[in-house]
Amino acid sequence: MSVNLKSLISVLHAKWIGSETDVFIDHISIDSRSLQNGSQTLFFALAGINNDAHLFIPDLIEKGVQNFVVQCVPEGFADKANFLLVANTLEALQEFAAYYRNLFHFPVIGLTGSNGKTIVKEWLNFLLSPDYNIIRSPKSYNSQVGVPLSVIAINEKHNLGIFEAGISTVNEMAKLEKIIKPNIGVLTNIGPAHDEGFLNLIQKIDEKLLLFKDCPVIIYQKTEVVDSCLTQFAAEYMMHPRKLFSWSFTDKTADVFILKKESKNDRTTIQYQYQNDVFGLEIPFSDSASIENAISCLLVLLHFKYDQETIQSRIEMLYPVRMRLEVKNGINNCSIIDDSYSSDFQSLKIALDFLESQKKNASKAVILSDIFQSGFSNEELYSKVAQLIAANKIHRVIGIGETISSFASKFPNSIMFQNTAEFMDSIESLNFQNETILIKGARSFAFEEIVSLLEEKTHETVLEINLDAISHNFNYFKSKLAPNVKMMVMVKAFGYGNGGLEIAKLLEHHKVDYLGVAFADEGISLKNGGIKLPIMVLNPESTSFPSIIQYQLEPEIYSIKGLKAFLKIAREKNLKDFPIHIKIDTGMHRLGFEENTIEELIETLKGNATVRVQSILSHLATSDDPKHYDFVQKQIALFEKLSSRLMKELNVNPIRHILNTSGISNFPNSQYNMVRLGIGLYGVSNDAAEQKYLENVGTLKSIISQVRTIPAGDSVGYGRRFMAEKETKIGTIPIGYADGISRLWGNEVGFVTIKNQKAPIVGSVCMDMLMVNVSEIDCKEGDPVIIFGESPTVIEMAEALKTIPYEIMTSISQRVKRVFFR
């Protein structure tokens, strides 16, 4: 990309504020944290409900960014950079992408639907890449922001585009259609996703079809409802003649009719009729979703007039698509970012940003294969890759492949291998330790073998943590805050069982104001992991005060005894203005200064220069229960009274905070200077209405170790608590109460989910295993099992066990491996 900045004034309907007009842009950014931002970056300052990027413009200017699209120019900075002033920066980003798309005239495939968009996109890329230089949406960049960023990555060498468009309500697709401008439309499966954004199914289909407004060809599964919508659609846009290219399992009038379908050993053979001929096709999957997605790909190949032999040879090589970046624990105190199934330039940029946000170690390494389908010459491509590597401060590069090896001179501190086998033979000599390692390679390089070698070995039960869901939940609660209200996020108890350091790194990336932990050792662990955010210790023991001072943690002080003990150590160490947090007991009666101790607190602190009252806080006892809201108001009133007195008599102006997660939602007028977000970050609310706006964060997964069939009258497990009334198929799963599964969840109280079906837990939960009834489920050994996540949820489990979700989440043993992904 090389675009003259001044030429965008008319494109974006912008007002120019700046001096240097002869500027060319080669990079578009919306992320102020990206290390890829530079002097030729055009930064769009998006302003939404949850975040306003205008706040970070001064920092970006300091880092060398000089060109911005803004809704307002920060005060005092009008002469410090170039600004394109617009009414709405998101619309400006979309207008720029539409303008940029119109500079290119090759075929573009546009995909939409409820399910399967990303899978079909990745498979089409694989199927067509031998013959085309393809630009496609990275990962699942299909939103109002993701689509523009995808299209902006086009360059002059591309000759086919594949972009997906996702919408959640009406009046969204028209904007994406102007950006993608597809020549070939593919409508994938229409399901219940985002139903809440539409009046009915008809409205949802009608809105999705708008992507194909000017599209000569539409590929779709023929159903009565879709045909009806297409008829109306064609009538409305009849000035654009188009071909409807359909397929069906049941309707013989479809262009491609599936005559026969047989599945065996995870493969499916179909016979289909097309243009009066019958053909066979083997698909390397047996589940219905993959079969439908493969048939959508088949129709695209038929439209492109591929012969049957080529179609068969390519489709039988289709593979499961990995749609996420995963963070895993590695050997020798390394952490691994697993992106081992794709290698293209655009996704490398995304992966490097993710590496920066999730690095556990200061030293960063990249294991990178040859890069395909960049659209650049090799010389230009690897020059750009080298620039990316340098901008992201990667300490060493390990290249694998003949092409990247030939450009070794571009990568300082690199070592190159011709192939994966050569790397594997040398892995011991590479001395991986105390590094964060991005493993990114094209599928043909089999980098999953490298991940397996470098990954820390644990058993087959894992707790998967969705970092995107954490970001979503964080932004949901942040959107409820008044301007300038700070956010403290609680990461105590190993991040509520989800993993403290990894989540703290994500929160640091989101620029939260404070982290909260229960004990000093939790804070020390975060500091040792590289966290630089201020960390408050809520329950400091007096024996931990020296460590708190050493690691620059900030203690909550809740008693005169504790205050005097800390002041004594502070004087001994000649501290000055060391931050402390004063806890007031307003009715929780757990920890804190009561009203009758405030006088002594003031006398003790008056004139004391060794410490500084950084904040005054209290804790609500019943912020989630409407029956006790009167009590909450009394707590808030007492907090206002006592904190105001402290501030006046000590002549201080500290941060004040009393609201927890439920308080943020239920008492918006009492946000003071800061709020404390806890369980809500992890996707749990005590309010059923609010719960639907939060995303599930943790999914506890295992596998079926063994399947057996027992006759009627036989028992299962200790104490023979389950007796089979008829022949029963039993699956054994390697997770038990030592992993954190309550024994009360056994004996048919609880269930797990296998292939989207409930499997009741039978017999007692054992230390390392539990057994489930799978008589009604077509499953086998090695099949995945959901212990909790979307179903059952931790809320459902807590209700059944008469406890709270906190206990379910924090009980999961640390012997269960945490896998973090985006």
Side-chain angles (χ1 to χ4, degrees):
M1 172 191 294
S2 181
V3 178
N4 186 286
L5 181 63
K6 198 165 186 181
S7 70
L8 298 181
I9 297 174
S10 59
V11 172
L12 304 184
H13 312 290
K15 177 183 177 182
W16 172 265
I17 300 174
S19 56
E20 190 177 356
T21 57
D22 191 24
V23 176
F24 281 84
I25 300 302
D26 67 5
H27 178 231
I28 301 298
S29 177
I30 62 168
D31 188 351
S32 63
R33 300 158 297 195
S34 175
L35 296 180
Q36 296 160 35
N37 293 327
S39 60
Q40 290 185 286
T41 294
L42 178 60
F43 185 85
F44 283 78
L46 301 187
I49 297 173
N50 302 319
N51 288 299
D52 186 353
H54 291 79
L55 299 174
F56 308 119
I57 289 174
D59 290 341
L60 285 163
I61 292 174
E62 189 174 332
K63 292 174 182 176
V65 180
Q66 281 291 294
N67 307 294
F68 299 89
V69 178
V70 297
Q71 292 171 195
C72 61
V73 177
E75 189 174 347
F77 284 85
D79 60 345
K80 294 184 174 15
N82 298 315
F83 296 96
L84 292 170
L85 184 65
V86 299
N88 184 297
T89 47
L90 173 58
E91 290 178 3
L93 176 65
Q94 293 170 338
E95 288 168 352
F96 173 78
Y99 157 78
Y100 189 74
R101 161 69 179 91
N102 285 330
L103 299 179
F104 302 91
H105 304 288
F106 51 74
V108 169
I109 300 172
L111 299 111
T112 191
S114 302
N115 308 298
K117 297 184 292 294
T118 302
I119 302 290
V120 173
K121 178 200 67 189
E122 292 298 318
W123 282 355
L124 286 176
N125 176 68
F126 169 77
L127 295 166
L128 297 170
S129 60
D131 311 302
Y132 294 91
N133 197 347
I134 298 173
I135 176 68
R136 71 191 192 280
S137 312
K139 303 297 178 186
S140 52
Y141 270 38
N142 59 28
S143 67
Q144 298 291 306
V145 174
V147 169
L149 294 178
S150 300
V151 167
I152 287 166
I154 298 173
N155 67 47
E156 291 76 9
K157 301 294 177 62
H158 293 124
N159 56 14
L160 178 66
I162 309 175
F163 300 108
E164 54 176 298
I167 57 171
S168 56
T169 188
V170 295
N171 302 321
E172 290 185 344
M173 189 60 86
K175 298 174 183 177
L176 301 186
E177 188 274 336
K178 292 177 183 177
I179 300 169
I180 297 175
K181 281 292 177 190
N183 313 102
I184 301 162
V186 179
L187 183 66
T188 64
N189 177 275
I190 298 293
H194 298 297
D195 272 357
E196 67 277 5
F198 303 93
L199 294 175
N200 50 45
L201 179 63
I202 301 294
Q203 187 187 55
K204 180 160 74 169
I205 295 172
D206 287 344
E207 181 73 13
K208 290 182 181 293
L209 289 177
L210 289 177
L211 179 62
F212 311 138
K213 183 169 69 73
D214 294 323
C215 206
V217 179
I218 301 176
I219 293 169
Y220 71 104
Q221 182 178 5
K222 190 176 180 65
T223 67
E224 186 175 338
V225 65
V226 174
D227 274 343
S228 174
C229 291
L230 278 168
T231 299
Q232 179 65 31
F233 179 75
E236 191 168 349
Y237 298 100
M238 62 186 302
M239 70 289 296
H240 302 293
R242 69 188 86 246
K243 173 184 176 182
L244 300 181
F245 192 23
S246 64
W247 69 271
S248 177
F249 289 116
T250 57
D251 190 334
K252 294 182 179 180
T253 66
D255 298 290
V256 175
F257 178 60
I258 312 302
L259 295 164
K260 189 177 180 182
K261 180 181 72 168
E262 290 182 347
S263 296
K264 186 178 180 182
N265 297 328
D266 293 327
R267 300 184 74 83
T268 300
T269 301
I270 67 171
Q271 283 187 347
Y272 65 93
Q273 183 173 307
Y274 173 58
Q275 294 183 340
N276 300 318
D277 287 325
V278 175
F279 305 94
L281 182 67
E282 188 167 293
I283 300 170
F285 299 95
S286 58
D287 63 288
S288 58
S290 295
I291 293 167
E292 288 187 12
N293 292 335
I295 294 172
S296 291
C297 292
L298 165 66
L299 265 71
V300 174
L301 295 180
L302 291 172
H303 172 72
F304 276 79
K305 302 192 183 310
Y306 280 87
D307 60 78
Q308 294 301 317
E309 183 179 350
T310 302
I311 290 173
Q312 177 60 72
S313 65
R314 293 188 185 178
I315 282 186
E316 69 184 9
M317 294 173 65
L318 292 178
Y319 51 87
V321 173
R322 294 270 296 277
M323 292 187 290
R324 63 194 197 188
L325 292 156
E326 291 185 345
V327 184
K328 301 176 178 179
N329 291 328
I331 61 173
N332 303 327
N333 196 38
C334 290
S335 62
I336 295 168
I337 296 176
D338 180 3
D339 195 12
S340 56
Y341 288 91
S342 70
S343 184
D344 59 85
F345 185 67
Q346 190 69 3
S347 67
L348 174 61
K349 295 166 74 173
I350 294 168
L352 287 169
D353 276 342
F354 184 66
L355 168 63
E356 177 62 22
S357 72
Q358 283 299 307
K359 66 178 189 293
K360 286 187 187 178
N361 311 87
S363 181
K364 297 182 290 185
V366 173
I367 301 174
L368 183 65
S369 78
D370 287 347
I371 295 176
F372 302 126
Q373 294 181 298
S374 69
F376 304 111
S377 67
N378 284 336
E379 174 70 31
E380 187 179 5
L381 168 64
Y382 289 101
S383 294
K384 287 179 175 290
V385 172
Q387 291 168 9
L388 273 182
I389 294 292
N392 282 272
K393 300 175 183 176
I394 304 301
H395 293 86
R396 66 166 168 167
V397 176
I398 297 167
I400 300 178
E402 294 179 4
T403 308
I404 193 171
S405 294
S406 67
F407 291 94
S409 61
K410 294 184 180 292
F411 300 94
N413 197 22
S414 66
I415 184 169
M416 298 289 169
F417 299 92
Q418 293 295 303
N419 52 56
T420 304
E422 186 180 312
F423 167 86
M424 303 280 266
D425 290 340
S426 305
I427 198 166
E428 293 295 330
S429 65
L430 294 171
N431 192 29
F432 289 105
Q433 57 181 335
N434 302 315
E435 295 173 279
T436 301
I437 308 165
L438 170 62
I439 300 176
K440 184 159 184 60
R443 183 175 178 81
S444 58
F445 284 85
F447 271 18
E448 66 272 15
E449 296 177 17
I450 298 176
V451 174
S452 180
L453 272 180
L454 295 180
E455 187 178 5
E456 184 180 64
K457 301 302 182 284
T458 53
H459 64 85
E460 292 159 315
T461 297
V462 299
L463 180 60
E464 293 188 344
I465 310 299
N466 184 339
L467 296 174
D468 283 339
I470 288 179
S471 295
H472 168 87
N473 297 337
F474 170 78
N475 286 326
Y476 170 78
F477 285 101
K478 187 177 178 182
S479 71
K480 292 176 173 286
L481 303 185
N484 302 319
V485 172
K486 299 179 185 296
M487 176 86 83
M488 174 185 286
V489 179
M490 311 310 296
V491 291
K492 61 182 181 177
F494 195 51
Y496 289 57
N498 293 287
L501 179 58
E502 293 82 2
I503 291 171
K505 286 188 174 296
L506 179 64
L507 295 171
E508 191 165 56
H509 195 61
H510 280 298
K511 300 181 185 294
V512 303
D513 301 284
Y514 261 91
L515 298 178
V517 298
F519 299 105
D521 57 351
E522 294 176 313
I524 291 168
S525 177
L526 295 179
K527 288 292 187 181
N528 284 335
I531 298 299
K532 295 180 175 59
L533 289 173
I535 299 173
M536 186 175 113
V537 182
L538 281 79
N539 305 323
E541 298 156 315
S542 58
T543 55
S544 71
F545 286 162
S547 296
I548 285 174
I549 293 168
Q550 178 185 350
Y551 286 91
Q552 294 293 297
L553 304 174
E554 301 181 17
E556 174 188 287
I557 303 295
Y558 50 80
S559 69
I560 292 294
K561 179 182 176 182
L563 176 59
K564 289 181 176 179
F566 190 80
L567 290 175
K568 180 176 182 293
I569 295 173
R571 284 192 294 268
E572 290 171 356
K573 293 184 177 294
N574 296 315
L575 298 182
K576 183 176 175 59
D577 287 338
F578 194 92
I580 62 172
H581 301 261
I582 300 298
K583 175 90 172 268
I584 298 174
D585 181 5
T586 55
M588 182 80 163
H589 294 333
R590 191 170 63 177
L591 294 174
F593 291 93
E594 295 182 288
E595 186 169 10
N596 60 8
T597 64
I598 294 297
E599 187 69 39
E600 187 177 2
L601 170 63
I602 292 170
E603 290 304 314
T604 306
L605 284 173
K606 253 185 182 176
N608 197 309
T610 57
V611 297
R612 177 183 77 254
V613 179
Q614 181 72 4
S615 84
I616 303 172
L617 67 144
S618 189
H619 195 64
L620 299 178
T622 59
S623 61
D624 60 340
D625 189 346
K627 296 196 302 291
H628 297 291
Y629 280 0
D630 287 346
F631 182 76
V632 174
Q633 295 293 357
K634 289 177 182 177
Q635 282 194 270
I636 293 171
L638 183 57
F639 177 69
E640 173 64 29
K641 173 186 173 184
L642 298 182
S643 62
S644 295
R645 182 183 173 193
L646 284 172
M647 292 167 64
K648 180 179 179 181
E649 298 204 29
L650 293 174
N651 192 28
V652 294
N653 186 29
I655 300 167
R656 289 193 286 176
H657 48 115
I658 190 171
L659 298 186
N660 53 7
T661 295
S662 297
I664 293 171
S665 298
N666 297 330
F667 297 92
N669 295 325
S670 301
Q671 293 176 359
Y672 287 97
N673 313 102
M674 187 162 73
V675 298
R676 301 188 301 273
L677 177 61
I679 193 74
L681 181 76
Y682 306 98
V684 176
S685 172
N686 293 308
D687 182 345
E690 182 174 74
Q691 183 64 47
K692 67 182 181 181
Y693 295 107
L694 302 181
E695 293 186 0
N696 178 64
V697 168
T699 301
L700 183 58
K701 289 184 174 182
S702 193
I703 64 164
I704 301 175
S705 294
Q706 190 173 38
V707 177
R708 72 183 75 241
T709 300
I710 63 172
D714 273 19
S715 62
V716 173
Y718 289 119
R720 306 192 72 198
R721 289 184 173 85
F722 175 79
M723 304 292 293
E725 296 178 357
K726 58 183 180 180
E727 186 176 87
T728 304
K729 187 165 67 168
I730 299 294
T732 301
I733 302 166
I735 185 171
Y737 59 77
D739 300 293
I741 305 303
S742 171
R743 292 186 78 245
L744 298 175
W745 190 236
N747 297 314
E748 299 181 274
V749 172
F751 66 93
V752 301
T753 300
I754 300 172
K755 293 196 169 180
N756 296 318
Q757 298 177 70
K758 290 183 178 181
I761 299 172
V762 295
S764 298
V765 174
C766 308
M767 181 181 288
D768 309 299
M769 285 171 278
L770 56 82
M771 289 70 72
V772 297
N773 186 340
V774 293
S775 300
E776 305 302 319
I777 303 173
D778 179 18
C779 60
K780 61 184 183 304
E781 293 170 3
D783 280 350
V785 178
I786 304 297
I787 311 300
F788 67 62
E790 297 287 353
S791 177
T793 65
V794 292
I795 296 174
E796 290 175 302
M797 293 178 71
E799 289 173 349
L801 297 175
K802 295 180 171 54
T803 184
I804 55 176
Y806 298 74
E807 183 176 353
I808 305 296
M809 297 165 65
T810 58
S811 294
I812 302 305
S813 165
Q814 291 197 34
R815 81 174 186 177
V816 174
K817 177 174 68 173
R818 271 69 173 174
V819 174
F820 301 85
F821 70 90
R822 296 185 83 163

